[in-house]
Amino acid sequence: MTCENYNCTDANSVEREQERTLTVKNLDHVNYDPAKSDRNVVLEHDSRADQFKTFRAYVKDYKEQEHITGRFNVDTTSDRNATKVLSCFVMSGSHDLMASMTREEQIEYFRAGLDFLKQEYPTFHVVDSRVHYDEKGLPHMHTSMLPIHEKEDGSKSFNVSKHQKGKDYFRGFQDRFYDHMRERYPDKDLQRTDPNRDHEKKLSVREYKENQDFKRELEQEHKRLVAKNEKLKAIGKELDRAYEQSEKAYQYNLEVERYCQEQGITIGQYEKQCFWADRDWGNYPEPERYNPDRNIEPEREAPTHSRMEHER
């Protein structure tokens, strides 16, 4: 079983996500299937929370109705200075354990976990406890509690640190939880979580949304860069073709100059030869084989009548 403590700002979205009352426009923001949420099972729920639009309003009303005193800083934007007003516990089981149970047995298994939390934190107030069957993977239980501390004189305050003292607290917490479940299920092969194992922090709903938004931004940027890369490839091919054409044109001009020098003719006379060749009166000069703008057919025999006769 894992635990995460939240301030009032984060608690609102966390509690709504747990109860499946979180309103989202894009279902990519959630990690469950809303069409399957009716399969979830409520183990315990404070109906007073349903009277308020926000968790902040609910917890303020609860504080007033239960005469809770002490530090209650819920309006600050600093997480370090904000009072932790919600403790959220997540309980699951191994794949083999869940597979060995019917749905009813699974619900009773999780109910035993809720009983442990009530024994561990007798002064905490259960806001909501339910089993989720609408997510991918194994069923699991979410339990949210108001971390109420009660002094010997009967005064109450929000103070989770009084109940979760020291860095080794959760090691003992896991031991007590394991012993509790072993007593309830002596015939089951329950597995104790390795206390030395590094556990990844469960993302809050807000963090999950930010993470999903960041992923979408990365995907969009990736698509943009891929499209830009394709354009650059196309431009590169055009440049290669243009360079190839310029090389051919340069070679052609060198051949024309060489030919004119060898034949003792001018560029104008050369162009005149090409003019008559275009009209089938004679062959193209030899350098025209290098002309990138002209496809020279095999040399044809000269016409039977001379160009002079045609001009006459």
Side-chain angles (χ1 to χ4, degrees):
M1 185 181 294
T2 61
C3 173
E4 193 74 33
N5 299 304
Y6 296 96
N7 59 36
C8 202
T9 301
D10 292 334
N12 186 68
S13 56
V14 169
E15 183 61 23
R16 289 187 176 278
E17 193 270 345
Q18 176 177 317
E19 298 177 17
R20 301 308 193 230
T21 58
L22 187 66
T23 302
V24 293
K25 294 181 179 179
N26 190 336
L27 295 180
D28 291 339
H29 284 172
V30 298
N31 59 349
Y32 61 90
D33 185 354
K36 298 179 180 179
S37 294
D38 57 350
R39 303 179 186 178
N40 296 340
V41 179
V42 178
L43 302 180
E44 192 167 331
H45 179 73
D46 184 0
S47 59
R48 288 181 294 178
D50 301 333
Q51 303 172 18
F52 303 93
K53 292 183 178 180
T54 64
F55 181 81
R56 176 181 273 102
Y58 162 70
V59 76
K60 284 185 175 181
D61 181 79
Y62 185 89
K63 175 180 180 295
E64 181 180 344
Q65 295 297 325
E66 299 297 324
H67 307 290
I68 297 175
T69 58
R71 182 174 178 272
F72 188 67
N73 192 358
V74 297
D75 295 318
T76 181
T77 56
S78 172
D79 180 70
R80 185 175 183 180
N81 298 323
T83 303
K84 301 298 182 181
V85 295
L86 191 68
S87 296
C88 294
F89 302 86
V90 180
M91 173 185 171
S92 60
S94 67
H95 182 276
D96 291 340
L97 178 64
M98 292 292 103
S100 69
M101 295 179 173
T102 65
R103 176 182 169 90
E104 289 71 21
E105 289 173 336
Q106 290 174 355
I107 295 171
E108 288 305 312
Y109 169 79
F110 290 120
R111 199 181 298 278
L114 175 59
D115 291 340
F116 166 77
L117 289 175
K118 289 183 175 181
Q119 294 175 20
E120 182 76 8
Y121 305 105
T123 60
F124 281 25
H125 174 70
V126 177
V127 180
D128 186 84
S129 181
R130 64 185 63 205
V131 183
H132 284 169
Y133 283 94
D134 58 355
E135 297 181 31
K136 292 182 179 179
L138 300 173
H140 53 276
M141 178 185 72
H142 288 263
T143 300
S144 56
M145 309 174 82
L146 300 182
I148 307 299
H149 173 66
E150 186 172 346
K151 296 182 180 179
E152 293 182 358
D153 61 4
S155 61
K156 300 177 181 179
S157 62
F158 284 91
N159 197 331
V160 69
S161 61
K162 290 290 185 180
H163 297 266
Q164 299 176 356
K165 292 183 179 179
K167 62 179 182 179
D168 294 327
Y169 166 76
F170 280 104
R171 183 188 297 269
F173 172 87
Q174 295 290 0
D175 288 337
R176 292 187 294 276
F177 172 60
Y178 177 75
D179 292 340
H180 173 85
M181 299 304 293
R182 284 290 299 170
E183 184 179 348
R184 291 287 188 95
Y185 295 92
D187 59 330
K188 295 292 185 182
D189 184 20
L190 302 180
Q191 298 178 0
R192 166 71 167 88
T193 302
D194 184 359
N196 297 317
R197 171 187 163 195
D198 292 331
H199 296 278
E200 294 184 359
K201 179 181 177 182
K202 180 178 174 63
L203 297 178
S204 67
V205 174
R206 184 179 65 178
E207 291 171 329
Y208 179 79
K209 284 185 177 181
E210 291 175 350
N211 188 43
Q212 292 298 103
D213 289 341
F214 181 64
K215 284 183 178 180
R216 274 191 294 276
E217 290 177 3
L218 285 180
E219 290 174 358
Q220 292 174 357
E221 181 66 11
H222 175 71
K223 291 180 180 178
R224 187 187 70 81
L225 291 176
V226 169
K228 185 176 182 180
N229 187 50
E230 291 300 320
K231 288 183 179 180
L232 290 176
K233 286 183 179 179
I235 292 174
K237 290 180 179 179
E238 289 295 328
L239 290 175
D240 289 341
R241 283 194 290 268
Y243 176 77
E244 184 179 351
Q245 288 295 99
S246 65
E247 282 290 307
K248 289 180 178 180
Y250 176 73
Q251 182 66 26
Y252 166 68
N253 289 331
L254 290 180
E255 291 296 325
V256 170
E257 289 182 7
R258 178 191 61 78
Y259 180 83
C260 290
Q261 290 176 359
E262 291 178 353
Q263 299 296 322
I265 61 176
T266 63
I267 293 295
Q269 290 173 320
Y270 179 89
E271 291 177 347
K272 192 171 183 180
Q273 290 182 20
C274 293
F275 173 82
W276 289 113
D278 287 337
R279 288 154 179 76
D280 292 335
W281 290 93
N283 296 318
Y284 288 103
E286 183 262 340
E288 286 305 299
R289 293 187 296 108
Y290 301 97
N291 189 343
D293 298 325
R294 191 193 303 278
N295 291 323
I296 302 299
E297 297 178 358
E299 288 189 359
R300 50 186 178 268
E301 295 182 0
T304 55
H305 49 290
S306 68
R307 184 184 309 154
M308 295 300 295
E309 292 176 345
H310 175 74
E311 290 177 348
R312 286 197 297 267

mmCIF file of all heavy atoms in Angstrom, residues 46-85:
data_model
loop_
_atom_site.group_PDB
_atom_site.id
_atom_site.type_symbol
_atom_site.label_atom_id
_atom_site.label_comp_id
_atom_site.label_asym_id
_atom_site.label_seq_id
_atom_site.Cartn_x
_atom_site.Cartn_y
_atom_site.Cartn_z
ATOM 1 N N ASP A 46 -18.237 9.949 2.261
ATOM 2 C CA ASP A 46 -18.866 11.006 3.044
ATOM 3 C C ASP A 46 -19.768 11.822 2.126
ATOM 4 O O ASP A 46 -19.279 12.592 1.296
ATOM 5 C CB ASP A 46 -17.805 11.899 3.684
ATOM 6 C CG ASP A 46 -18.405 12.966 4.598
ATOM 7 O OD1 ASP A 46 -19.657 13.002 4.725
ATOM 8 O OD2 ASP A 46 -17.634 13.746 5.178
ATOM 9 N N SER A 47 -21.066 11.639 2.260
ATOM 10 C CA SER A 47 -22.021 12.315 1.359
ATOM 11 C C SER A 47 -21.995 13.833 1.517
ATOM 12 O O SER A 47 -22.460 14.555 0.628
ATOM 13 C CB SER A 47 -23.434 11.787 1.619
ATOM 14 O OG SER A 47 -23.815 12.006 2.959
ATOM 15 N N ARG A 48 -21.436 14.328 2.634
ATOM 16 C CA ARG A 48 -21.370 15.777 2.814
ATOM 17 C C ARG A 48 -20.475 16.423 1.762
ATOM 18 O O ARG A 48 -20.678 17.590 1.400
ATOM 19 C CB ARG A 48 -20.828 16.103 4.216
ATOM 20 C CG ARG A 48 -21.813 15.822 5.345
ATOM 21 C CD ARG A 48 -21.234 16.182 6.686
ATOM 22 N NE ARG A 48 -20.092 15.325 7.027
ATOM 23 C CZ ARG A 48 -19.373 15.471 8.146
ATOM 24 N NH1 ARG A 48 -19.660 16.441 9.002
ATOM 25 N NH2 ARG A 48 -18.373 14.648 8.391
ATOM 26 N N ALA A 49 -19.520 15.661 1.266
ATOM 27 C CA ALA A 49 -18.621 16.210 0.245
ATOM 28 C C ALA A 49 -19.357 16.515 -1.052
ATOM 29 O O ALA A 49 -18.927 17.375 -1.835
ATOM 30 C CB ALA A 49 -17.476 15.232 -0.017
ATOM 31 N N ASP A 50 -20.499 15.839 -1.274
ATOM 32 C CA ASP A 50 -21.259 16.038 -2.511
ATOM 33 C C ASP A 50 -21.989 17.370 -2.538
ATOM 34 O O ASP A 50 -22.479 17.806 -3.586
ATOM 35 C CB ASP A 50 -22.268 14.902 -2.696
ATOM 36 C CG ASP A 50 -21.587 13.543 -2.757
ATOM 37 O OD1 ASP A 50 -20.413 13.498 -3.160
ATOM 38 O OD2 ASP A 50 -22.241 12.543 -2.390
ATOM 39 N N GLN A 51 -22.081 18.025 -1.390
ATOM 40 C CA GLN A 51 -22.807 19.286 -1.298
ATOM 41 C C GLN A 51 -21.972 20.468 -1.771
ATOM 42 O O GLN A 51 -22.503 21.570 -1.931
ATOM 43 C CB GLN A 51 -23.257 19.527 0.146
ATOM 44 C CG GLN A 51 -24.117 18.420 0.732
ATOM 45 C CD GLN A 51 -24.379 18.617 2.213
ATOM 46 O OE1 GLN A 51 -24.204 19.715 2.746
ATOM 47 N NE2 GLN A 51 -24.803 17.553 2.883
ATOM 48 N N PHE A 52 -20.690 20.244 -1.996
ATOM 49 C CA PHE A 52 -19.788 21.348 -2.331
ATOM 50 C C PHE A 52 -19.164 21.144 -3.708
ATOM 51 O O PHE A 52 -18.912 20.019 -4.136
ATOM 52 C CB PHE A 52 -18.682 21.460 -1.271
ATOM 53 C CG PHE A 52 -19.208 21.654 0.129
ATOM 54 C CD1 PHE A 52 -19.425 20.549 0.956
ATOM 55 C CD2 PHE A 52 -19.495 22.913 0.606
ATOM 56 C CE1 PHE A 52 -19.911 20.712 2.236
ATOM 57 C CE2 PHE A 52 -19.982 23.096 1.890
ATOM 58 C CZ PHE A 52 -20.198 21.985 2.713
ATOM 59 N N LYS A 53 -18.953 22.261 -4.389
ATOM 60 C CA LYS A 53 -18.392 22.207 -5.740
ATOM 61 C C LYS A 53 -16.893 21.932 -5.713
ATOM 62 O O LYS A 53 -16.350 21.380 -6.668
ATOM 63 C CB LYS A 53 -18.666 23.512 -6.476
ATOM 64 C CG LYS A 53 -20.141 23.740 -6.801
ATOM 65 C CD LYS A 53 -20.319 25.017 -7.605
ATOM 66 C CE LYS A 53 -21.782 25.224 -7.987
ATOM 67 N NZ LYS A 53 -21.982 26.455 -8.780
ATOM 68 N N THR A 54 -16.222 22.353 -4.644
ATOM 69 C CA THR A 54 -14.776 22.167 -4.563
ATOM 70 C C THR A 54 -14.406 21.472 -3.259
ATOM 71 O O THR A 54 -15.143 21.535 -2.264
ATOM 72 C CB THR A 54 -14.028 23.510 -4.629
ATOM 73 O OG1 THR A 54 -14.365 24.307 -3.476
ATOM 74 C CG2 THR A 54 -14.393 24.264 -5.898
ATOM 75 N N PHE A 55 -13.257 20.835 -3.270
ATOM 76 C CA PHE A 55 -12.765 20.183 -2.055
ATOM 77 C C PHE A 55 -12.423 21.221 -1.007
ATOM 78 O O PHE A 55 -12.596 20.983 0.192
ATOM 79 C CB PHE A 55 -11.536 19.333 -2.392
ATOM 80 C CG PHE A 55 -10.981 18.604 -1.201
ATOM 81 C CD1 PHE A 55 -11.550 17.422 -0.759
ATOM 82 C CD2 PHE A 55 -9.884 19.117 -0.515
ATOM 83 C CE1 PHE A 55 -11.046 16.751 0.348
ATOM 84 C CE2 PHE A 55 -9.370 18.444 0.583
ATOM 85 C CZ PHE A 55 -9.952 17.269 1.016
ATOM 86 N N ARG A 56 -11.935 22.384 -1.434
ATOM 87 C CA ARG A 56 -11.607 23.456 -0.487
ATOM 88 C C ARG A 56 -12.829 23.858 0.326
ATOM 89 O O ARG A 56 -12.751 24.012 1.554
ATOM 90 C CB ARG A 56 -11.027 24.661 -1.228
ATOM 91 C CG ARG A 56 -10.753 25.856 -0.314
ATOM 92 C CD ARG A 56 -10.200 27.043 -1.076
ATOM 93 N NE ARG A 56 -8.751 26.953 -1.167
ATOM 94 C CZ ARG A 56 -8.087 26.563 -2.221
ATOM 95 N NH1 ARG A 56 -8.744 26.215 -3.320
ATOM 96 N NH2 ARG A 56 -6.764 26.510 -2.229
ATOM 97 N N ALA A 57 -13.958 24.004 -0.353
ATOM 98 C CA ALA A 57 -15.187 24.384 0.355
ATOM 99 C C ALA A 57 -15.601 23.291 1.337
ATOM 100 O O ALA A 57 -16.041 23.566 2.457
ATOM 101 C CB ALA A 57 -16.303 24.656 -0.648
ATOM 102 N N TYR A 58 -15.451 22.044 0.916
ATOM 103 C CA TYR A 58 -15.821 20.913 1.785
ATOM 104 C C TYR A 58 -14.949 20.865 3.022
ATOM 105 O O TYR A 58 -15.451 20.722 4.154
ATOM 106 C CB TYR A 58 -15.707 19.605 1.003
ATOM 107 C CG TYR A 58 -15.643 18.373 1.873
ATOM 108 C CD1 TYR A 58 -16.763 17.939 2.586
ATOM 109 C CD2 TYR A 58 -14.452 17.641 1.985
ATOM 110 C CE1 TYR A 58 -16.688 16.804 3.388
ATOM 111 C CE2 TYR A 58 -14.379 16.516 2.777
ATOM 112 C CZ TYR A 58 -15.490 16.094 3.479
ATOM 113 O OH TYR A 58 -15.431 14.980 4.283
ATOM 114 N N VAL A 59 -13.638 20.989 2.842
ATOM 115 C CA VAL A 59 -12.738 20.845 3.973
ATOM 116 C C VAL A 59 -12.856 22.036 4.928
ATOM 117 O O VAL A 59 -12.710 21.889 6.155
ATOM 118 C CB VAL A 59 -11.285 20.657 3.483
ATOM 119 C CG1 VAL A 59 -10.677 21.962 3.011
ATOM 120 C CG2 VAL A 59 -10.426 20.035 4.576
ATOM 121 N N LYS A 60 -13.160 23.212 4.410
ATOM 122 C CA LYS A 60 -13.386 24.371 5.280
ATOM 123 C C LYS A 60 -14.646 24.180 6.107
ATOM 124 O O LYS A 60 -14.679 24.500 7.306
ATOM 125 C CB LYS A 60 -13.481 25.654 4.444
ATOM 126 C CG LYS A 60 -12.142 26.178 3.944
ATOM 127 C CD LYS A 60 -12.316 27.514 3.243
ATOM 128 C CE LYS A 60 -10.966 28.102 2.848
ATOM 129 N NZ LYS A 60 -11.121 29.414 2.173
ATOM 130 N N ASP A 61 -15.691 23.652 5.487
ATOM 131 C CA ASP A 61 -16.933 23.390 6.215
ATOM 132 C C ASP A 61 -16.715 22.305 7.266
ATOM 133 O O ASP A 61 -17.226 22.404 8.394
ATOM 134 C CB ASP A 61 -18.031 22.970 5.246
ATOM 135 C CG ASP A 61 -19.355 22.695 5.952
ATOM 136 O OD1 ASP A 61 -20.050 23.672 6.281
ATOM 137 O OD2 ASP A 61 -19.677 21.508 6.172
ATOM 138 N N TYR A 62 -15.972 21.281 6.914
ATOM 139 C CA TYR A 62 -15.694 20.199 7.866
ATOM 140 C C TYR A 62 -14.929 20.740 9.067
ATOM 141 O O TYR A 62 -15.212 20.386 10.219
ATOM 142 C CB TYR A 62 -14.894 19.084 7.185
ATOM 143 C CG TYR A 62 -14.665 17.885 8.073
ATOM 144 C CD1 TYR A 62 -15.585 16.841 8.113
ATOM 145 C CD2 TYR A 62 -13.526 17.811 8.891
ATOM 146 C CE1 TYR A 62 -15.379 15.740 8.937
ATOM 147 C CE2 TYR A 62 -13.315 16.724 9.714
ATOM 148 C CZ TYR A 62 -14.245 15.688 9.744
ATOM 149 O OH TYR A 62 -14.045 14.614 10.580
ATOM 150 N N LYS A 63 -13.959 21.590 8.825
ATOM 151 C CA LYS A 63 -13.175 22.204 9.901
ATOM 152 C C LYS A 63 -14.079 22.981 10.848
ATOM 153 O O LYS A 63 -13.945 22.899 12.081
ATOM 154 C CB LYS A 63 -12.113 23.123 9.306
ATOM 155 C CG LYS A 63 -11.305 23.923 10.324
ATOM 156 C CD LYS A 63 -10.297 24.793 9.636
ATOM 157 C CE LYS A 63 -9.478 25.597 10.640
ATOM 158 N NZ LYS A 63 -10.296 26.575 11.379
ATOM 159 N N GLU A 64 -15.029 23.720 10.267
ATOM 160 C CA GLU A 64 -15.919 24.525 11.096
ATOM 161 C C GLU A 64 -16.902 23.651 11.871
ATOM 162 O O GLU A 64 -17.119 23.860 13.073
ATOM 163 C CB GLU A 64 -16.679 25.519 10.210
ATOM 164 C CG GLU A 64 -17.626 26.429 10.967
ATOM 165 C CD GLU A 64 -18.356 27.398 10.060
ATOM 166 O OE1 GLU A 64 -17.904 27.564 8.909
ATOM 167 O OE2 GLU A 64 -19.374 27.970 10.494
ATOM 168 N N GLN A 65 -17.471 22.662 11.202
ATOM 169 C CA GLN A 65 -18.474 21.812 11.851
ATOM 170 C C GLN A 65 -17.853 20.939 12.941
ATOM 171 O O GLN A 65 -18.501 20.660 13.956
ATOM 172 C CB GLN A 65 -19.150 20.914 10.803
ATOM 173 C CG GLN A 65 -19.961 21.664 9.751
ATOM 174 C CD GLN A 65 -21.132 22.423 10.360
ATOM 175 O OE1 GLN A 65 -21.751 21.983 11.325
ATOM 176 N NE2 GLN A 65 -21.436 23.583 9.781
ATOM 177 N N GLU A 66 -16.626 20.488 12.753
ATOM 178 C CA GLU A 66 -15.977 19.606 13.725
ATOM 179 C C GLU A 66 -15.104 20.367 14.712
ATOM 180 O O GLU A 66 -14.416 19.750 15.527
ATOM 181 C CB GLU A 66 -15.127 18.565 12.985
ATOM 182 C CG GLU A 66 -15.913 17.660 12.048
ATOM 183 C CD GLU A 66 -16.921 16.811 12.807
ATOM 184 O OE1 GLU A 66 -16.611 16.392 13.942
ATOM 185 O OE2 GLU A 66 -18.014 16.558 12.254
ATOM 186 N N HIS A 67 -15.149 21.712 14.634
ATOM 187 C CA HIS A 67 -14.418 22.578 15.585
ATOM 188 C C HIS A 67 -12.920 22.239 15.600
ATOM 189 O O HIS A 67 -12.310 22.050 16.657
ATOM 190 C CB HIS A 67 -15.004 22.446 16.993
ATOM 191 C CG HIS A 67 -16.486 22.660 17.052
ATOM 192 N ND1 HIS A 67 -17.062 23.906 16.863
ATOM 193 C CD2 HIS A 67 -17.510 21.778 17.249
ATOM 194 C CE1 HIS A 67 -18.385 23.792 16.945
ATOM 195 N NE2 HIS A 67 -18.680 22.504 17.179
ATOM 196 N N ILE A 68 -12.363 22.145 14.402
ATOM 197 C CA ILE A 68 -10.942 21.843 14.275
ATOM 198 C C ILE A 68 -10.144 23.143 14.343
ATOM 199 O O ILE A 68 -10.463 24.125 13.661
ATOM 200 C CB ILE A 68 -10.667 21.110 12.947
ATOM 201 C CG1 ILE A 68 -11.411 19.765 12.945
ATOM 202 C CG2 ILE A 68 -9.174 20.881 12.754
ATOM 203 C CD1 ILE A 68 -11.314 19.007 11.653
ATOM 204 N N THR A 69 -9.127 23.151 15.176
ATOM 205 C CA THR A 69 -8.299 24.340 15.347
ATOM 206 C C THR A 69 -6.911 24.065 14.786
ATOM 207 O O THR A 69 -6.683 23.106 14.063
ATOM 208 C CB THR A 69 -8.213 24.711 16.831
ATOM 209 O OG1 THR A 69 -7.671 23.599 17.563
ATOM 210 C CG2 THR A 69 -9.601 25.041 17.393
ATOM 211 N N GLY A 70 -5.957 24.902 15.167
ATOM 212 C CA GLY A 70 -4.575 24.695 14.739
ATOM 213 C C GLY A 70 -4.305 25.269 13.359
ATOM 214 O O GLY A 70 -5.152 25.929 12.738
ATOM 215 N N ARG A 71 -3.128 25.021 12.862
ATOM 216 C CA ARG A 71 -2.669 25.558 11.572
ATOM 217 C C ARG A 71 -3.539 25.032 10.449
ATOM 218 O O ARG A 71 -3.790 23.840 10.331
ATOM 219 C CB ARG A 71 -1.214 25.155 11.349
ATOM 220 C CG ARG A 71 -0.591 25.684 10.068
ATOM 221 C CD ARG A 71 0.890 25.323 10.046
ATOM 222 N NE ARG A 71 1.515 25.756 8.817
ATOM 223 C CZ ARG A 71 1.561 25.039 7.701
ATOM 224 N NH1 ARG A 71 0.986 23.843 7.672
ATOM 225 N NH2 ARG A 71 2.172 25.506 6.633
ATOM 226 N N PHE A 72 -3.994 25.980 9.614
ATOM 227 C CA PHE A 72 -4.874 25.605 8.506
ATOM 228 C C PHE A 72 -4.626 26.566 7.350
ATOM 229 O O PHE A 72 -5.404 27.468 7.068
ATOM 230 C CB PHE A 72 -6.337 25.659 8.960
ATOM 231 C CG PHE A 72 -7.311 25.101 7.950
ATOM 232 C CD1 PHE A 72 -7.321 23.751 7.636
ATOM 233 C CD2 PHE A 72 -8.227 25.928 7.305
ATOM 234 C CE1 PHE A 72 -8.220 23.235 6.712
ATOM 235 C CE2 PHE A 72 -9.129 25.414 6.378
ATOM 236 C CZ PHE A 72 -9.121 24.073 6.093
ATOM 237 N N ASN A 73 -3.511 26.351 6.663
ATOM 238 C CA ASN A 73 -3.098 27.231 5.577
ATOM 239 C C ASN A 73 -3.445 26.559 4.242
ATOM 240 O O ASN A 73 -2.678 25.755 3.729
ATOM 241 C CB ASN A 73 -1.601 27.514 5.668
ATOM 242 C CG ASN A 73 -1.170 28.646 4.749
ATOM 243 O OD1 ASN A 73 -1.972 29.198 4.008
ATOM 244 N ND2 ASN A 73 0.106 28.990 4.804
ATOM 245 N N VAL A 74 -4.625 26.872 3.703
ATOM 246 C CA VAL A 74 -5.081 26.214 2.475
ATOM 247 C C VAL A 74 -5.135 27.153 1.271
ATOM 248 O O VAL A 74 -5.384 26.707 0.150
ATOM 249 C CB VAL A 74 -6.487 25.593 2.675
ATOM 250 C CG1 VAL A 74 -6.441 24.511 3.738
ATOM 251 C CG2 VAL A 74 -7.518 26.659 3.034
ATOM 252 N N ASP A 75 -4.901 28.435 1.486
ATOM 253 C CA ASP A 75 -5.029 29.401 0.394
ATOM 254 C C ASP A 75 -3.690 29.856 -0.176
ATOM 255 O O ASP A 75 -3.648 30.671 -1.085
ATOM 256 C CB ASP A 75 -5.812 30.629 0.876
ATOM 257 C CG ASP A 75 -7.250 30.284 1.235
ATOM 258 O OD1 ASP A 75 -7.874 29.507 0.490
ATOM 259 O OD2 ASP A 75 -7.736 30.771 2.273
ATOM 260 N N THR A 76 -2.604 29.333 0.359
ATOM 261 C CA THR A 76 -1.291 29.711 -0.153
ATOM 262 C C THR A 76 -0.990 28.974 -1.451
ATOM 263 O O THR A 76 -1.514 27.884 -1.703
ATOM 264 C CB THR A 76 -0.188 29.396 0.883
ATOM 265 O OG1 THR A 76 1.080 29.789 0.355
ATOM 266 C CG2 THR A 76 -0.156 27.909 1.191
ATOM 267 N N THR A 77 -0.139 29.575 -2.267
ATOM 268 C CA THR A 77 0.276 28.928 -3.514
ATOM 269 C C THR A 77 1.582 28.160 -3.322
ATOM 270 O O THR A 77 2.048 27.495 -4.230
ATOM 271 C CB THR A 77 0.475 29.978 -4.626
ATOM 272 O OG1 THR A 77 1.419 30.970 -4.175
ATOM 273 C CG2 THR A 77 -0.845 30.656 -4.972
ATOM 274 N N SER A 78 2.158 28.266 -2.129
ATOM 275 C CA SER A 78 3.411 27.570 -1.825
ATOM 276 C C SER A 78 3.104 26.197 -1.253
ATOM 277 O O SER A 78 2.469 26.078 -0.197
ATOM 278 C CB SER A 78 4.243 28.384 -0.837
ATOM 279 O OG SER A 78 5.363 27.645 -0.389
ATOM 280 N N ASP A 79 3.552 25.156 -1.933
ATOM 281 C CA ASP A 79 3.291 23.802 -1.451
ATOM 282 C C ASP A 79 4.000 23.545 -0.122
ATOM 283 O O ASP A 79 3.502 22.795 0.723
ATOM 284 C CB ASP A 79 3.764 22.788 -2.497
ATOM 285 C CG ASP A 79 3.510 21.351 -2.061
ATOM 286 O OD1 ASP A 79 2.336 20.958 -2.017
ATOM 287 O OD2 ASP A 79 4.486 20.637 -1.763
ATOM 288 N N ARG A 80 5.130 24.175 0.075
ATOM 289 C CA ARG A 80 5.901 23.945 1.302
ATOM 290 C C ARG A 80 5.175 24.471 2.524
ATOM 291 O O ARG A 80 5.236 23.875 3.598
ATOM 292 C CB ARG A 80 7.270 24.623 1.161
ATOM 293 C CG ARG A 80 8.199 24.351 2.336
ATOM 294 C CD ARG A 80 9.574 24.938 2.073
ATOM 295 N NE ARG A 80 10.495 24.636 3.160
ATOM 296 C CZ ARG A 80 11.762 25.021 3.180
ATOM 297 N NH1 ARG A 80 12.251 25.724 2.152
ATOM 298 N NH2 ARG A 80 12.540 24.711 4.199
ATOM 299 N N ASN A 81 4.482 25.594 2.384
ATOM 300 C CA ASN A 81 3.796 26.205 3.520
ATOM 301 C C ASN A 81 2.336 25.777 3.645
ATOM 302 O O ASN A 81 1.691 26.094 4.647
ATOM 303 C CB ASN A 81 3.853 27.741 3.393
ATOM 304 C CG ASN A 81 5.277 28.262 3.427
ATOM 305 O OD1 ASN A 81 6.110 27.730 4.154
ATOM 306 N ND2 ASN A 81 5.556 29.296 2.644
ATOM 307 N N ALA A 82 1.823 25.083 2.641
ATOM 308 C CA ALA A 82 0.413 24.701 2.662
ATOM 309 C C ALA A 82 0.184 23.517 3.600
ATOM 310 O O ALA A 82 1.014 22.624 3.714
ATOM 311 C CB ALA A 82 -0.060 24.349 1.255
ATOM 312 N N THR A 83 -0.954 23.529 4.260
ATOM 313 C CA THR A 83 -1.323 22.430 5.148
ATOM 314 C C THR A 83 -1.740 21.215 4.332
ATOM 315 O O THR A 83 -2.520 21.338 3.384
ATOM 316 C CB THR A 83 -2.492 22.859 6.059
ATOM 317 O OG1 THR A 83 -2.112 24.028 6.792
ATOM 318 C CG2 THR A 83 -2.859 21.753 7.036
ATOM 319 N N LYS A 84 -1.233 20.057 4.703
ATOM 320 C CA LYS A 84 -1.643 18.817 4.047
ATOM 321 C C LYS A 84 -3.015 18.434 4.589
ATOM 322 O O LYS A 84 -3.163 18.136 5.775
ATOM 323 C CB LYS A 84 -0.638 17.700 4.306
ATOM 324 C CG LYS A 84 0.780 18.004 3.841
ATOM 325 C CD LYS A 84 0.859 18.213 2.339
ATOM 326 C CE LYS A 84 2.289 18.464 1.897
ATOM 327 N NZ LYS A 84 2.404 18.705 0.441
ATOM 328 N N VAL A 85 -4.008 18.448 3.726
ATOM 329 C CA VAL A 85 -5.385 18.225 4.176
ATOM 330 C C VAL A 85 -5.980 16.927 3.643
ATOM 331 O O VAL A 85 -7.133 16.613 3.930
ATOM 332 C CB VAL A 85 -6.291 19.408 3.759
ATOM 333 C CG1 VAL A 85 -5.870 20.683 4.475
ATOM 334 C CG2 VAL A 85 -6.264 19.603 2.243
#
